[in-house]
Amino acid sequence: MNTDRSQALLERASKLIPGGVNSPVRAFRSVGGTPRFMERGQGCRMSDADGNSYIDYIGSWGPLILGHRFPPVMEAIAAVLESGTSFGAPTEREIELVEEIRAAVPSMEMVRLVNSGTEATMSALRVARGFTGRTLTVKFEGCYHGHVDSLLVKAGSGMATLGIADTAGVPEAIAKTTLALPYNSVSALEAAFEAHGGDIAAVIVEPVVGNMGCVPPLPGYHEALRALCTRYGALLIFDEVMTGFRVSFGGAQELYGIKPDLSTFGKVIGGGLPIAAYGGRADVMNKVAPVGNVYQAGTLSGNPLAVAAGLAMLRYLKAHPAVYSQIGHAAARICAAAPQGVTVNRVGSMFTFFFGTGPVTDWESAKIADTGRFKAFFHHMLDRGVYLPPSQFEAAFVGAAHDDAAVEETIAAIKSFQG
Ligand SMILES: *Cc1c(COP(=O)(O)O)cnc(C)c1O
């Protein structure tokens, strides 16, 4: 596979952009080789600057559940272009989008739109602290909630991929406001509440982890989180930036039947444009300015193009609930083809092959995966035109555009792996 042009672009980009990329995992540092500069996407496939084509299992890291250039989304964006790209004033479609979110996710009694998942979790934490008058936050090792200072403690995603335990640039005083506990351990959370109960403002969790690879909650885990938060007066924040409208239309909270106090959304709700949301209990959200005294704002928040794309996406998904069983089934077929010596974790259309044989339930059990073997597998697949996340610690996504031919091609590529 010729990658000369991507290589030349990387060298040019690296002079001006750190690592040549605008988000670290794109640089292929943990798998080596040349990161591919993409040019075009259509359905489940995308092609790079050298003209190589790939079946895409990243889907822009989650948003493209209906594939690239999905017609209703493209049409919605084109229609809005006729009327303007941004006003800095409220528009009717923002209400419509929030109404769709509220109808799908009943815990979202009130919602604020922002531009990225990072902003959503940062803002949700601020309002949780403002509401409770408390300082501490509990998060879980290997979970990633965007690059919010206080949440970059033992974080997943690129931090896990690059082996950065705690980022430079976050003052110790801020890092100390976060307690990082093992995922799926009820006893660790109980102990934290016993020690610090009156100071814990919120527990933030990926209800299905995607950012240390796919790690589902153990049975009863979310029920225990819910009960402990309620008992100690802390807010439970479901970070559904990845799982929202992905693991089911109503997100992980619908799948597991849990009502968090606050939730964050992103990725799928923007249809591939930058938008995210946080929201939840009305009494908590009424703390947000201009109603309350927790300040949060955004020049481009509720951007008309992003809102229109997200609205088209959510309306299509609502009208086509069979999408979820279809993509879950396609993912299951791919997972059934996994090589020997691999632990497969899957929830719906999200999955990870962990190169190792033990169960993977938390960061301790995820991080022992054989990243050398993963790397060989990743390049084996890439050479055969299958684009998986370039990290052992990221989830792959199947979308509605992955047709039988694409799934069969993927399975054949997996089966030819000898490593
Ligand atoms: C992607 C992600 C974020 C961050 O969203 P950005 O839009 O990249 O800032 C936060 N939380 C989770 C669970 C995510 O998967």
Side-chain angles (χ1 to χ4, degrees), residues 98 219 311 356 404:
V98 165
L311 194 55
D404 264 354

Side-chain angles (χ1 to χ4, degrees), residues 116-119 121 144-147 206 211 239 241-242 267:
S116 70
T118 295
E119 261 186 89
T121 57
Y144 177 70
H145 304 289
H147 62 96
E206 282 186 74
N211 287 297
D239 179 357
V241 170
M242 188 182 288
K267 299 190 171 123

Side-chain angles (χ1 to χ4, degrees), residues 332-351:
R333 281 172 62 202
I334 292 165
C335 288
Q340 295 291 310
V342 163
T343 294
V344 178
N345 278 2
R346 178 181 73 86
V347 176
S349 58
M350 276 170 69
F351 71 90

